[in-house]
Amino acid sequence: MSERVVAVPPPSALSRLMPGAVLLRLFALFAVLVILLGALLGGKLFNGAAVRSMAFQLPELGVLALAMMIPLLSGGLDLSIIATANLSALGAATIFTHFGVGAHGMAAIPWDVLAILVGFAIAGVIGTLNGVVIAYLGVSPILATLGSMTLVKGIAIGLTHGGIISGFPAFMVFIGNGSVFDVPVVLIVFVLIAIPVSILLTRTPFGTIVAMLGSNEKAVRYSGIDTRRVLIKVYILSALLSSVAGMLMMARFNSANASYGESYLLITILAAVLGGVDPAGGFGRVSGLVLALVILQLVSTAANLLNISQFLGLALWGVILLGVAGVSRVWETVSILLRSAPKDSS
């Protein structure tokens, strides 16, 4: 008996542009928050100064969240992103303050370039270490990156004795605090990073393999793909993004320290999961992550304007995550029940 093969048409370009269920839920949540907070705060929240303040605060957390998202997609985790960001920034800051500030004009450019390269090199070493330990030694990502986080933070504190390094070239201060046509430069940098990362994860073979790795690592390995090399690339990429975030923090605060941004670590996971990244790996979009960051930033700013304690603001973020996760689960259950219900033959 011959089997009939039914060809499944590929998704159209229009269908690929349509937002998925996660994005629709986030858009709905965003709309509800805008209406609710707009009624409570009105012009205090939605004015130029408040929006501009949010635009300055979001990018450094956004880049760190991207750094967390990529290992999550692969089924892993990177707890060392904050420590990597700070040590990279301290490495760059050392070159800036010892050599770059004293030079002027064209003579300063080589030192400025060297400082940034040193920051990326430090991150590259940490990312490679994480990748090798996870891919070749088989250590779980949470243990491997917890160890590297402790190691890197210890080195950073040991070298600086917990102090700060400050006094950077004018262009770094401009990146952290300047604007172009009233758009913060840090926000422009975030957009310039988020778009390529999104393309990398959704439009390239590397992104496809990373997602497949998070779904079924054994299947990927048996298909002939060198999963260990892919994992090393994942953690190097995560570390390099962490380095960018560290330099953005350095530019915004005009200083570098071993302890900056420590509260961001769990928030990056929260933002990624809220944005639809599967904590078990395999699925997630940068667009969802960005929208989740906007929602979290909106709630945080509203909490400040309402004089709500910072800790209660964090509690609100947790409530949002639990609410979205709960609604998603209920929606999936209802959808399954509706599909499995017997259809009326009449």
Side-chain angles (χ1 to χ4, degrees):
M1 184 175 64
S2 63
E3 293 184 358
R4 184 181 179 187
V5 177
V6 179
V8 178
S12 66
L14 180 62
S15 66
R16 286 197 294 266
L17 292 175
M18 294 294 288
V22 173
L23 273 182
L24 287 175
R25 282 196 290 270
L26 289 173
F27 275 126
L29 175 61
F30 180 70
V32 169
L33 287 173
V34 167
I35 294 171
L36 180 63
L37 297 176
L40 286 173
L41 294 166
K44 288 173 65 178
L45 180 60
F46 299 109
N47 61 58
V51 173
R52 187 178 166 80
S53 174
M54 286 188 271
F56 270 107
Q57 294 173 29
L58 186 143
E60 61 201 36
L61 176 59
V63 179
L64 284 170
L66 289 173
M68 181 62 79
M69 175 186 179
I70 297 172
L72 281 174
L73 279 176
S74 72
L77 187 73
D78 190 350
L79 296 177
S80 67
I81 56 172
I82 306 297
T84 302
N86 285 327
L87 187 61
S88 299
L90 286 169
T94 302
I95 304 296
F96 276 135
T97 53
H98 281 76
F99 305 102
V101 172
H104 299 284
M106 297 296 290
I109 294 177
W111 294 114
D112 294 341
V113 173
L114 178 64
I116 294 170
L117 290 178
V118 166
F120 284 136
I122 291 171
V125 171
I126 298 169
T128 304
L129 175 66
N130 282 335
V132 168
V133 171
I134 293 167
Y136 284 90
L137 301 184
V139 178
S140 72
I142 189 170
L143 286 179
T145 56
L146 179 63
S148 61
M149 176 188 76
T150 308
L151 169 67
V152 171
K153 185 175 179 181
I155 291 173
I157 294 176
L159 292 177
T160 62
H161 303 288
I164 64 169
I165 300 177
S166 61
F168 302 124
F171 83 92
M172 286 299 294
V173 179
F174 177 73
I175 289 174
N177 300 280
S179 300
V180 177
F181 300 112
D182 283 337
V183 179
V185 176
V186 285
L187 184 62
I188 297 172
V189 172
F190 174 60
V191 172
L192 292 177
I193 292 171
I195 291 174
V197 170
S198 177
I199 294 172
L200 177 71
L201 294 177
T202 57
R203 304 289 182 188
T204 67
F206 173 76
T208 304
I209 293 171
V210 170
M212 291 167 58
L213 205 58
S215 299
N216 193 332
E217 183 180 353
K218 285 185 179 178
V220 177
R221 192 185 313 133
Y222 292 149
S223 68
I225 295 173
D226 188 344
T227 56
R228 292 180 296 188
R229 289 184 63 183
V230 176
L231 279 174
I232 290 175
K233 291 178 183 176
V234 162
Y235 285 92
I236 289 177
L237 184 56
S238 173
L240 292 177
L241 287 170
S242 303
S243 178
V244 174
M247 292 189 200
L248 289 181
M249 284 194 286
M250 178 178 72
R252 200 160 76 85
F253 304 144
N254 196 19
S255 62
N257 181 269
S259 301
Y260 281 167
E262 289 189 329
S263 62
Y264 286 157
L265 182 58
L266 294 181
I267 296 173
T268 59
I269 301 174
L270 186 151
V273 175
L274 179 63
V277 178
D278 190 336
F283 180 79
R285 299 275 181 176
V286 171
S287 53
L289 174 69
V290 171
L291 190 51
L293 287 167
V294 171
I295 290 171
L296 293 178
Q297 187 61 59
L298 182 67
V299 172
S300 175
T301 303
N304 286 335
L305 292 173
L306 290 168
N307 292 321
I308 295 176
S309 160
Q310 180 185 0
F311 301 106
L312 287 178
L314 289 174
L316 285 175
W317 286 2
V319 169
I320 290 173
L321 177 63
L322 291 173
V324 170
V327 169
S328 301
R329 187 63 182 164
V330 170
W331 179 257
E332 289 171 4
T333 304
V334 170
S335 300
I336 292 171
L337 290 174
L338 289 176
R339 284 197 298 269
S340 60
K343 294 181 180 178
D344 187 356
S345 57
S346 64

